[in-house]
Amino acid sequence: MDKVKTAFQNFGRVIVDPILYLSVTGIILAIATVCSLGSGVVADLGTLLSAATNSAVIGNLPVIFAVGLTAGFAKKQNPTRQCLDLLVTSCSCMSTTPT
């Protein structure tokens, strides 16, 4: 029973890391939305920031979660392995995307 409890605690610790990125993304999107309500250069900057955040983070949520989970479950931190995980996940996401 302790093994199951430890496994769930480990999973809970690992799943929090990718979710932390979402709170930062939400704050950036809120600032971008407020900026885009203005006019002139500030509105253009807000629109650009909103589009960049949406395409960079929101569009790649599966990749962020896959890399975050594999990095969290790794026994030791190995940047080479994490890059390989990112490459494999990206290739599998691209191959399953409908055209």
Side-chain angles (χ1 to χ4, degrees):
M1 192 59 131
D2 288 334
K3 217 173 187 181
V4 173
K5 182 180 175 183
T6 305
F8 275 115
Q9 286 176 342
N10 189 24
F11 180 74
R13 180 186 53 82
V14 167
I15 198 72
V16 168
D17 290 339
I19 292 174
L20 289 176
Y21 296 118
L22 294 178
S23 61
V24 174
T25 303
I27 292 170
I28 292 172
L29 281 173
I31 292 170
T33 302
V34 169
C35 289
S36 65
L37 294 176
S39 62
V41 176
V42 176
D44 293 339
L45 182 63
T47 305
L48 178 68
L49 186 62
S50 177
T53 304
N54 278 333
S55 66
V57 177
I58 304 297
N60 292 318
L61 276 178
V63 175
I64 291 172
F65 272 98
V67 172
L69 290 177
T70 56
F73 281 126
K75 299 285 185 212
K76 55 184 174 179
Q77 298 298 323
N78 187 351
T80 307
R81 172 130 186 211
Q82 292 172 5
C83 289
L84 181 63
D85 291 340
L86 176 63
L87 179 66
V88 169
T89 306
S90 298
C91 290
S92 67
C93 286
M94 287 179 198
S95 66
T96 58
T97 305
T99 57

Coordinates of all heavy atoms in Angstrom, one line a residue:
M1 N 0.8 -1.2 0.0 CA 0.0 0.0 0.0 C 0.9 1.3 0.0 O 0.5 2.3 -0.6 CB -0.9 0.0 1.2 CG -2.0 1.0 1.1 SD -3.0 0.8 -0.3 CE -4.6 0.9 0.4
D2 N 2.0 1.2 0.7 CA 2.9 2.3 0.7 C 3.5 2.6 -0.7 O 3.8 3.8 -1.0 CB 4.0 2.1 1.7 CG 3.5 2.2 3.1 OD1 2.5 2.9 3.3 OD2 4.1 1.6 4.0
K3 N 3.7 1.5 -1.5 CA 4.2 1.7 -2.8 C 3.2 2.5 -3.7 O 3.6 3.4 -4.5 CB 4.5 0.3 -3.4 CG 5.7 0.3 -4.3 CD 6.0 -1.2 -4.7 CE 7.3 -1.2 -5.4 NZ 7.6 -2.5 -5.8
V4 N 2.0 2.2 -3.6 CA 0.9 2.9 -4.4 C 0.8 4.4 -3.9 O 0.8 5.3 -4.7 CB -0.4 2.2 -4.2 CG1 -1.5 3.0 -4.9 CG2 -0.4 0.8 -4.8
K5 N 0.9 4.6 -2.6 CA 0.8 5.9 -2.1 C 2.0 6.8 -2.6 O 1.9 7.9 -3.0 CB 0.8 5.9 -0.5 CG 0.7 7.2 0.1 CD 0.7 7.1 1.6 CE 0.7 8.4 2.3 NZ 0.7 8.3 3.7
T6 N 3.2 6.1 -2.5 CA 4.4 6.8 -3.0 C 4.3 7.1 -4.5 O 4.7 8.2 -5.0 CB 5.7 6.0 -2.7 OG1 5.7 5.7 -1.3 CG2 6.9 6.7 -3.1
A7 N 3.8 6.2 -5.3 CA 3.6 6.4 -6.7 C 2.7 7.6 -7.0 O 3.0 8.4 -7.9 CB 3.1 5.2 -7.4
F8 N 1.6 7.7 -6.3 CA 0.6 8.8 -6.5 C 1.2 10.1 -6.0 O 1.0 11.1 -6.7 CB -0.7 8.5 -5.8 CG -1.6 7.7 -6.6 CD1 -2.0 6.4 -6.1 CD2 -2.2 8.1 -7.7 CE1 -2.9 5.6 -6.9 CE2 -3.1 7.4 -8.5 CZ -3.4 6.1 -8.0
Q9 N 2.0 10.1 -5.0 CA 2.6 11.3 -4.5 C 3.7 11.8 -5.5 O 3.8 13.0 -5.8 CB 3.3 11.1 -3.2 CG 2.3 11.0 -2.0 CD 3.0 10.7 -0.7 OE1 4.2 10.3 -0.6 NE2 2.3 11.0 0.4
N10 N 4.4 10.8 -6.1 CA 5.4 11.2 -7.1 C 4.7 11.7 -8.4 O 5.1 12.7 -9.0 CB 6.2 10.0 -7.5 CG 7.4 10.3 -8.4 OD1 7.8 11.4 -8.4 ND2 7.8 9.3 -9.1
F11 N 3.6 11.1 -8.8 CA 2.8 11.6 -9.9 C 2.3 13.0 -9.7 O 2.3 13.9 -10.5 CB 1.7 10.7 -10.3 CG 0.9 11.1 -11.5 CD1 1.4 11.0 -12.8 CD2 -0.4 11.7 -11.3 CE1 0.7 11.5 -13.8 CE2 -1.1 12.1 -12.4 CZ -0.6 12.0 -13.7
G12 N 1.8 13.3 -8.5 CA 1.3 14.6 -8.1 C 2.3 15.6 -8.2 O 2.1 16.8 -8.6
R13 N 3.5 15.3 -7.7 CA 4.6 16.2 -7.8 C 5.1 16.5 -9.2 O 5.4 17.7 -9.5 CB 5.8 15.6 -7.0 CG 7.1 16.5 -6.9 CD 8.2 15.8 -6.3 NE 8.5 14.5 -6.8 CZ 9.3 14.3 -7.9 NH1 9.7 15.3 -8.6 NH2 9.5 13.1 -8.4
V14 N 5.1 15.5 -10.0 CA 5.5 15.7 -11.4 C 4.5 16.4 -12.2 O 4.9 17.3 -13.1 CB 5.8 14.3 -12.0 CG1 6.0 14.4 -13.5 CG2 7.0 13.7 -11.4
I15 N 3.2 16.2 -12.0 CA 2.2 16.9 -12.9 C 2.1 18.4 -12.6 O 1.6 19.2 -13.4 CB 0.8 16.2 -12.7 CG1 -0.1 16.5 -13.8 CG2 0.2 16.6 -11.4 CD1 0.2 15.9 -15.1
V16 N 2.6 18.8 -11.4 CA 2.5 20.2 -11.0 C 3.4 21.1 -11.9 O 3.1 22.2 -12.2 CB 2.8 20.4 -9.5 CG1 3.0 21.9 -9.2 CG2 1.6 19.8 -8.7
D17 N 4.6 20.6 -12.3 CA 5.5 21.4 -13.0 C 5.0 21.9 -14.4 O 5.1 23.1 -14.6 CB 6.8 20.6 -13.3 CG 7.6 20.3 -12.0 OD1 7.4 21.1 -11.0 OD2 8.4 19.4 -12.0
P18 N 4.4 21.1 -15.2 CA 3.9 21.7 -16.5 C 2.7 22.6 -16.2 O 2.5 23.6 -16.9 CB 3.4 20.5 -17.3 CG 4.1 19.3 -16.7 CD 4.4 19.6 -15.3
I19 N 1.9 22.4 -15.1 CA 0.8 23.2 -14.9 C 1.2 24.6 -14.4 O 0.5 25.6 -14.6 CB -0.1 22.5 -13.8 CG1 -0.8 21.3 -14.5 CG2 -1.2 23.5 -13.3 CD1 -1.6 20.5 -13.5
L20 N 2.4 24.7 -13.8 CA 2.9 26.0 -13.4 C 3.1 27.0 -14.6 O 2.9 28.2 -14.5 CB 4.2 25.9 -12.6 CG 4.1 25.3 -11.3 CD1 5.5 25.1 -10.7 CD2 3.3 26.1 -10.3
Y21 N 3.4 26.4 -15.7 CA 3.6 27.2 -16.9 C 2.2 27.9 -17.4 O 2.2 29.0 -17.9 CB 4.1 26.4 -18.1 CG 5.5 25.9 -17.8 CD1 5.8 24.6 -17.8 CD2 6.6 26.8 -17.6 CE1 7.1 24.1 -17.6 CE2 7.9 26.4 -17.4 CZ 8.1 25.0 -17.4 OH 9.4 24.6 -17.2
L22 N 1.2 27.2 -17.1 CA -0.2 27.7 -17.5 C -0.5 29.0 -16.7 O -1.2 29.9 -17.3 CB -1.2 26.6 -17.3 CG -1.1 25.4 -18.2 CD1 -2.2 24.4 -17.9 CD2 -1.1 25.8 -19.7
S23 N -0.1 29.0 -15.4 CA -0.5 30.2 -14.7 C 0.3 31.4 -15.2 O -0.3 32.5 -15.3 CB -0.2 30.0 -13.2 OG 1.2 29.7 -13.0
V24 N 1.6 31.3 -15.5 CA 2.3 32.3 -16.1 C 1.8 32.7 -17.5 O 1.7 33.9 -17.8 CB 3.8 31.9 -16.2 CG1 4.6 33.0 -17.0 CG2 4.4 31.6 -14.9
T25 N 1.4 31.8 -18.3 CA 0.8 32.1 -19.6 C -0.5 32.8 -19.4 O -0.8 33.8 -20.2 CB 0.5 30.7 -20.3 OG1 1.7 30.0 -20.4 CG2 -0.1 31.0 -21.7
G26 N -1.3 32.5 -18.4 CA -2.6 33.2 -18.1 C -2.3 34.7 -17.8 O -3.0 35.6 -18.2
I27 N -1.3 34.9 -17.0 CA -1.0 36.3 -16.6 C -0.5 37.1 -17.8 O -0.9 38.2 -18.0 CB 0.1 36.3 -15.5 CG1 -0.5 35.7 -14.2 CG2 0.7 37.7 -15.3 CD1 0.6 35.5 -13.1
I28 N 0.3 36.5 -18.7 CA 0.8 37.1 -19.9 C -0.4 37.4 -20.8 O -0.5 38.5 -21.4 CB 1.9 36.3 -20.6 CG1 3.1 36.3 -19.7 CG2 2.2 36.9 -22.0 CD1 4.2 35.3 -20.2
L29 N -1.3 36.5 -21.0 CA -2.5 36.7 -21.8 C -3.4 37.8 -21.3 O -3.9 38.6 -22.1 CB -3.3 35.4 -22.0 CG -2.7 34.4 -23.0 CD1 -3.5 33.1 -23.0 CD2 -2.7 35.0 -24.4
A30 N -3.5 37.9 -20.0 CA -4.3 38.9 -19.4 C -3.7 40.3 -19.6 O -4.4 41.3 -20.0 CB -4.5 38.7 -17.9
I31 N -2.4 40.4 -19.5 CA -1.7 41.7 -19.7 C -1.8 42.0 -21.2 O -2.1 43.2 -21.6 CB -0.2 41.6 -19.3 CG1 -0.2 41.5 -17.8 CG2 0.6 42.8 -19.8 CD1 1.2 41.2 -17.2
A32 N -1.7 41.0 -22.1 CA -1.8 41.3 -23.5 C -3.2 41.7 -23.9 O -3.3 42.6 -24.8 CB -1.4 40.0 -24.3
T33 N -4.2 41.2 -23.3 CA -5.6 41.6 -23.6 C -5.8 43.0 -23.2 O -6.5 43.8 -23.9 CB -6.6 40.6 -22.9 OG1 -6.3 39.3 -23.4 CG2 -8.0 41.0 -23.3
V34 N -5.3 43.3 -22.0 CA -5.5 44.7 -21.5 C -4.8 45.7 -22.4 O -5.3 46.8 -22.8 CB -5.1 44.8 -20.0 CG1 -5.0 46.3 -19.6 CG2 -6.0 44.1 -19.1
C35 N -3.6 45.3 -22.8 CA -2.8 46.2 -23.7 C -3.5 46.4 -25.1 O -3.5 47.4 -25.7 CB -1.4 45.7 -23.9 SG -0.4 45.9 -22.5
S36 N -4.1 45.3 -25.6 CA -4.7 45.4 -26.9 C -6.0 46.2 -26.9 O -6.5 46.5 -28.0 CB -5.0 44.0 -27.5 OG -5.9 43.3 -26.7
L37 N -6.6 46.5 -25.8 CA -7.8 47.3 -25.7 C -7.5 48.8 -26.0 O -8.4 49.5 -26.3 CB -8.5 47.2 -24.4 CG -9.0 45.8 -24.0 CD1 -9.6 45.8 -22.6 CD2 -10.1 45.4 -25.0
G38 N -6.2 49.2 -25.9 CA -5.9 50.6 -26.2 C -5.8 50.8 -27.7 O -6.5 50.2 -28.5
S39 N -5.0 51.8 -28.0 CA -4.9 52.2 -29.4 C -3.4 52.5 -29.7 O -2.6 52.7 -28.8 CB -5.7 53.4 -29.8 OG -5.3 54.5 -29.0
G40 N -3.1 52.4 -31.0 CA -1.7 52.7 -31.4 C -0.7 51.6 -31.2 O -1.1 50.4 -31.4
V41 N 0.5 52.0 -30.8 CA 1.6 51.0 -30.6 C 1.3 50.0 -29.5 O 1.6 48.8 -29.6 CB 2.9 51.7 -30.4 CG1 4.0 50.8 -30.1 CG2 3.2 52.6 -31.5
V42 N 0.7 50.5 -28.4 CA 0.4 49.6 -27.3 C -0.6 48.5 -27.7 O -0.4 47.3 -27.3 CB -0.2 50.4 -26.1 CG1 -0.6 49.5 -24.9 CG2 0.8 51.4 -25.6
A43 N -1.6 48.8 -28.5 CA -2.6 47.8 -29.0 C -1.9 46.8 -29.9 O -2.2 45.6 -29.8 CB -3.7 48.5 -29.7
D44 N -1.0 47.3 -30.7 CA -0.3 46.4 -31.6 C 0.6 45.5 -30.9 O 0.7 44.3 -31.2 CB 0.5 47.2 -32.6 CG -0.4 48.0 -33.6 OD1 -1.5 47.6 -33.8 OD2 0.1 48.9 -34.2
L45 N 1.3 46.0 -29.8 CA 2.1 45.2 -29.0 C 1.3 44.1 -28.2 O 1.7 43.0 -28.1 CB 2.9 46.0 -28.0 CG 3.9 45.3 -27.1 CD1 5.0 44.7 -27.9 CD2 4.5 46.3 -26.1
G46 N 0.1 44.5 -27.7 CA -0.7 43.6 -27.0 C -1.2 42.5 -27.9 O -1.3 41.3 -27.5
T47 N -1.6 42.8 -29.1 CA -2.0 41.8 -30.1 C -0.9 40.9 -30.5 O -1.1 39.6 -30.6 CB -2.6 42.5 -31.4 OG1 -3.6 43.4 -31.0 CG2 -3.2 41.5 -32.3
L48 N 0.3 41.4 -30.7 CA 1.4 40.5 -31.0 C 1.8 39.6 -29.8 O 2.0 38.4 -30.0 CB 2.6 41.4 -31.3 CG 3.9 40.7 -31.6 CD1 3.8 39.9 -32.9 CD2 5.1 41.7 -31.7
L49 N 1.8 40.1 -28.6 CA 2.1 39.3 -27.4 C 1.0 38.2 -27.2 O 1.4 37.1 -26.9 CB 2.1 40.2 -26.2 CG 2.6 39.5 -24.9 CD1 4.0 39.0 -25.0 CD2 2.5 40.5 -23.8
S50 N -0.2 38.5 -27.5 CA -1.3 37.6 -27.4 C -1.2 36.4 -28.4 O -1.3 35.3 -28.1 CB -2.7 38.2 -27.5 OG -3.7 37.3 -27.4
A51 N -0.9 36.8 -29.6 CA -0.7 35.8 -30.7 C 0.5 35.0 -30.4 O 0.4 33.7 -30.7 CB -0.6 36.5 -32.0
A52 N 1.6 35.6 -30.0 CA 2.8 34.8 -29.7 C 2.6 33.8 -28.6 O 3.0 32.7 -28.6 CB 4.0 35.7 -29.4
T53 N 1.9 34.2 -27.5 CA 1.7 33.4 -26.4 C 0.7 32.2 -26.8 O 1.0 31.1 -26.4 CB 1.1 34.2 -25.2 OG1 1.9 35.2 -24.9 CG2 0.9 33.3 -24.0
N54 N -0.3 32.5 -27.6 CA -1.2 31.5 -28.0 C -0.5 30.4 -28.8 O -0.7 29.2 -28.7 CB -2.4 32.1 -28.7 CG -3.5 32.6 -27.8 OD1 -3.6 32.1 -26.7 ND2 -4.2 33.6 -28.3
S55 N 0.3 30.9 -29.8 CA 0.9 29.9 -30.7 C 2.0 29.2 -30.0 O 2.3 28.0 -30.2 CB 1.4 30.6 -31.9 OG 2.5 31.5 -31.6
A56 N 2.8 29.8 -29.1 CA 3.9 29.2 -28.5 C 3.5 28.2 -27.3 O 4.1 27.1 -27.2 CB 4.9 30.2 -27.9
V57 N 2.6 28.6 -26.5 CA 2.3 27.8 -25.3 C 1.0 27.0 -25.5 O 1.0 25.8 -25.3 CB 2.3 28.7 -24.0 CG1 1.9 27.9 -22.8 CG2 3.6 29.4 -23.8
I58 N 0.0 27.7 -25.8 CA -1.4 27.1 -25.8 C -1.4 26.0 -27.0 O -1.9 25.0 -26.9 CB -2.5 28.1 -26.0 CG1 -2.5 29.1 -24.9 CG2 -3.8 27.4 -26.1 CD1 -2.7 28.5 -23.5
G59 N -0.7 26.4 -28.1 CA -0.7 25.5 -29.2 C 0.2 24.2 -29.0 O 0.0 23.2 -29.7
N60 N 1.1 24.3 -28.1 CA 2.0 23.2 -27.8 C 1.8 22.6 -26.4 O 2.7 22.0 -25.9 CB 3.4 23.7 -27.9 CG 3.8 24.1 -29.4 OD1 3.4 23.3 -30.3 ND2 4.4 25.2 -29.5
L61 N 0.6 22.6 -25.9 CA 0.3 22.0 -24.6 C 0.7 20.5 -24.5 O 1.3 20.1 -23.5 CB -1.1 22.2 -24.2 CG -1.4 23.6 -23.5 CD1 -2.9 23.7 -23.2 CD2 -0.6 23.8 -22.3
P62 N 0.3 19.7 -25.5 CA 0.7 18.3 -25.5 C 2.2 18.1 -25.4 O 2.6 17.2 -24.6 CB 0.1 17.7 -26.7 CG -0.9 18.6 -27.2 CD -0.5 20.0 -26.7
V63 N 3.0 18.9 -26.1 CA 4.4 18.7 -26.0 C 4.9 19.1 -24.7 O 5.8 18.5 -24.1 CB 5.1 19.5 -27.2 CG1 6.6 19.5 -27.1 CG2 4.6 19.0 -28.5
I64 N 4.4 20.2 -24.1 CA 4.9 20.7 -22.8 C 4.6 19.7 -21.7 O 5.4 19.4 -20.9 CB 4.2 22.1 -22.5 CG1 4.7 23.1 -23.4 CG2 4.4 22.4 -21.0 CD1 4.0 24.5 -23.3
F65 N 3.4 19.1 -21.8 CA 3.0 18.1 -20.8 C 3.9 16.8 -21.0 O 4.4 16.2 -20.0 CB 1.6 17.7 -20.8 CG 0.7 18.6 -20.0 CD1 0.1 19.7 -20.5 CD2 0.6 18.4 -18.6 CE1 -0.7 20.5 -19.7 CE2 -0.1 19.2 -17.8 CZ -0.8 20.3 -18.3
A66 N 4.1 16.4 -22.2 CA 4.9 15.2 -22.5 C 6.3 15.3 -22.0 O 6.9 14.5 -21.3 CB 4.9 14.8 -23.9
V67 N 6.9 16.5 -22.3 CA 8.3 16.7 -21.9 C 8.4 16.9 -20.4 O 9.3 16.4 -19.7 CB 8.9 17.9 -22.7 CG1 10.3 18.2 -22.2 CG2 9.0 17.5 -24.2
G68 N 7.4 17.6 -19.9 CA 7.4 17.9 -18.4 C 7.3 16.6 -17.6 O 8.0 16.4 -16.6
L69 N 6.4 15.7 -18.1 CA 6.2 14.5 -17.4 C 7.4 13.6 -17.5 O 7.9 12.9 -16.5 CB 5.0 13.8 -17.9 CG 3.7 14.4 -17.5 CD1 2.5 13.6 -18.1 CD2 3.5 14.5 -16.0
T70 N 8.0 13.4 -18.7 CA 9.2 12.6 -18.8 C 10.4 13.1 -18.0 O 11.1 12.4 -17.5 CB 9.6 12.4 -20.3 OG1 9.8 13.7 -20.9 CG2 8.5 11.6 -21.0
A71 N 10.5 14.4 -18.0 CA 11.6 15.0 -17.2 C 11.4 14.8 -15.7 O 12.3 14.6 -15.0 CB 11.7 16.5 -17.5
G72 N 10.1 14.9 -15.3 CA 9.9 14.7 -13.9 C 10.0 13.3 -13.4 O 10.4 13.0 -12.3
F73 N 9.7 12.3 -14.3 CA 9.8 10.9 -13.9 C 11.2 10.3 -14.1 O 11.5 9.2 -13.7 CB 8.8 10.1 -14.7 CG 7.4 10.1 -14.2 CD1 6.4 10.5 -15.0 CD2 7.1 9.9 -12.9 CE1 5.1 10.6 -14.5 CE2 5.9 9.9 -12.4 CZ 4.8 10.3 -13.2
A74 N 12.1 11.1 -14.7 CA 13.5 10.6 -14.9 C 14.2 10.4 -13.6 O 14.0 11.2 -12.7 CB 14.2 11.6 -15.8
K75 N 14.9 9.4 -13.5 CA 15.6 9.1 -12.2 C 16.7 10.2 -12.0 O 16.9 10.6 -10.8 CB 16.3 7.7 -12.3 CG 15.3 6.6 -12.4 CD 14.5 6.3 -11.2 CE 13.7 5.1 -11.3 NZ 12.5 5.2 -10.6
K76 N 17.4 10.5 -13.0 CA 18.4 11.6 -12.9 C 18.2 12.6 -14.0 O 17.7 12.2 -15.1 CB 19.8 11.1 -12.8 CG 20.2 10.2 -14.0 CD 21.6 9.7 -13.8 CE 21.9 8.7 -14.9 NZ 23.2 8.1 -14.8
Q77 N 18.5 13.8 -13.8 CA 18.3 14.8 -14.8 C 19.3 14.7 -15.9 O 20.5 14.8 -15.6 CB 18.3 16.2 -14.2 CG 17.2 16.5 -13.2 CD 15.8 16.4 -13.7 OE1 15.6 16.8 -14.9 NE2 14.9 15.8 -13.0
N78 N 18.8 14.4 -17.1 CA 19.7 14.2 -18.3 C 19.2 15.1 -19.4 O 18.2 14.7 -20.1 CB 19.8 12.7 -18.6 CG 20.8 12.4 -19.7 OD1 21.4 13.3 -20.3 ND2 21.0 11.2 -19.9
P79 N 19.9 16.2 -19.7 CA 19.4 17.1 -20.8 C 19.3 16.4 -22.2 O 18.4 16.7 -23.0 CB 20.4 18.2 -20.8 CG 21.2 18.1 -19.6 CD 21.0 16.7 -19.1
T80 N 20.2 15.5 -22.4 CA 20.2 14.8 -23.7 C 19.0 14.0 -23.9 O 18.3 14.0 -24.9 CB 21.5 13.9 -23.8 OG1 22.6 14.7 -23.6 CG2 21.6 13.3 -25.2
R81 N 18.6 13.3 -22.8 CA 17.4 12.5 -22.9 C 16.2 13.3 -23.0 O 15.2 13.0 -23.7 CB 17.3 11.6 -21.6 CG 16.0 10.9 -21.5 CD 16.2 9.5 -21.3 NE 14.9 8.8 -21.3 CZ 14.6 7.8 -20.6 NH1 15.5 7.2 -19.8 NH2 13.5 7.2 -20.7
Q82 N 16.1 14.5 -22.3 CA 15.0 15.3 -22.4 C 14.8 15.9 -23.8 O 13.7 16.0 -24.4 CB 15.1 16.5 -21.4 CG 14.9 16.0 -20.0 CD 15.2 17.0 -19.0 OE1 15.5 18.2 -19.3 NE2 15.2 16.6 -17.7
C83 N 15.9 16.2 -24.5 CA 15.9 16.7 -25.9 C 15.4 15.6 -26.8 O 14.6 15.9 -27.7 CB 17.3 17.2 -26.3 SG 17.7 18.7 -25.5
L84 N 15.8 14.4 -26.6 CA 15.4 13.3 -27.4 C 13.9 13.0 -27.2 O 13.2 12.8 -28.1 CB 16.2 12.0 -27.0 CG 15.8 10.7 -27.8 CD1 16.1 10.9 -29.3 CD2 16.5 9.5 -27.3
D85 N 13.4 13.1 -25.9 CA 12.0 13.0 -25.7 C 11.2 14.1 -26.4 O 10.1 13.8 -27.0 CB 11.7 13.1 -24.2 CG 12.2 11.9 -23.4 OD1 12.4 10.8 -24.0 OD2 12.4 12.0 -22.2
L86 N 11.7 15.3 -26.4 CA 11.0 16.4 -27.1 C 11.0 16.1 -28.6 O 10.0 16.3 -29.3 CB 11.8 17.7 -26.9 CG 11.2 18.9 -27.6 CD1 9.8 19.2 -27.2 CD2 12.1 20.1 -27.4
L87 N 12.1 15.6 -29.2 CA 12.1 15.3 -30.6 C 11.1 14.2 -31.0 O 10.4 14.3 -31.9 CB 13.5 14.9 -31.0 CG 13.8 14.5 -32.5 CD1 13.5 15.7 -33.3 CD2 15.1 13.9 -32.7
V88 N 11.1 13.1 -30.2 CA 10.2 12.0 -30.4 C 8.7 12.5 -30.3 O 7.9 12.1 -31.1 CB 10.5 10.8 -29.5 CG1 9.4 9.8 -29.6 CG2 11.8 10.2 -29.8
T89 N 8.4 13.2 -29.3 CA 7.1 13.7 -29.1 C 6.7 14.6 -30.2 O 5.5 14.6 -30.7 CB 7.0 14.5 -27.8 OG1 7.4 13.6 -26.7 CG2 5.5 14.9 -27.5
S90 N 7.6 15.5 -30.7 CA 7.2 16.4 -31.8 C 7.0 15.7 -33.0 O 6.0 16.0 -33.8 CB 8.4 17.4 -32.0 OG 8.6 18.2 -30.8
C91 N 7.8 14.7 -33.3 CA 7.6 13.9 -34.5 C 6.3 13.1 -34.5 O 5.6 13.0 -35.5 CB 8.8 12.9 -34.7 SG 10.3 13.7 -35.2
S92 N 5.9 12.6 -33.3 CA 4.7 11.8 -33.2 C 3.5 12.7 -33.3 O 2.5 12.4 -33.9 CB 4.7 11.0 -31.9 OG 4.6 11.8 -30.8
C93 N 3.6 14.0 -32.8 CA 2.5 14.9 -32.9 C 2.3 15.4 -34.3 O 1.2 15.5 -34.8 CB 2.7 16.1 -32.0 SG 2.5 15.8 -30.3
M94 N 3.4 15.5 -35.0 CA 3.3 16.0 -36.4 C 2.8 14.8 -37.3 O 2.1 15.1 -38.3 CB 4.7 16.4 -36.9 CG 5.1 17.7 -36.4 SD 6.8 18.1 -37.1 CE 7.3 19.3 -35.9
S95 N 3.1 13.6 -37.0 CA 2.6 12.5 -37.8 C 1.2 12.2 -37.6 O 0.5 11.6 -38.5 CB 3.5 11.3 -37.6 OG 3.3 10.8 -36.2
T96 N 0.6 12.6 -36.4 CA -0.8 12.3 -36.2 C -1.7 13.4 -36.4 O -2.9 13.3 -36.3 CB -1.0 11.8 -34.7 OG1 -0.5 12.9 -33.8 CG2 -0.2 10.5 -34.4
T97 N -1.1 14.6 -36.8 CA -2.0 15.8 -37.1 C -2.6 15.6 -38.5 O -2.0 15.3 -39.5 CB -1.1 17.0 -37.1 OG1 -0.4 17.1 -35.9 CG2 -1.9 18.3 -37.4
P98 N -4.0 15.7 -38.5 CA -4.7 15.6 -39.8 C -4.3 16.8 -40.7 O -4.1 17.9 -40.3 CB -6.2 15.6 -39.4 CG -6.2 16.2 -38.1 CD -4.9 16.0 -37.4
T99 N -4.3 16.5 -42.0 CA -3.9 17.5 -43.0 C -5.1 18.1 -43.6 O -6.2 17.5 -43.7 CB -3.0 17.0 -44.0 OG1 -3.6 15.8 -44.7 CG2 -1.7 16.6 -43.4

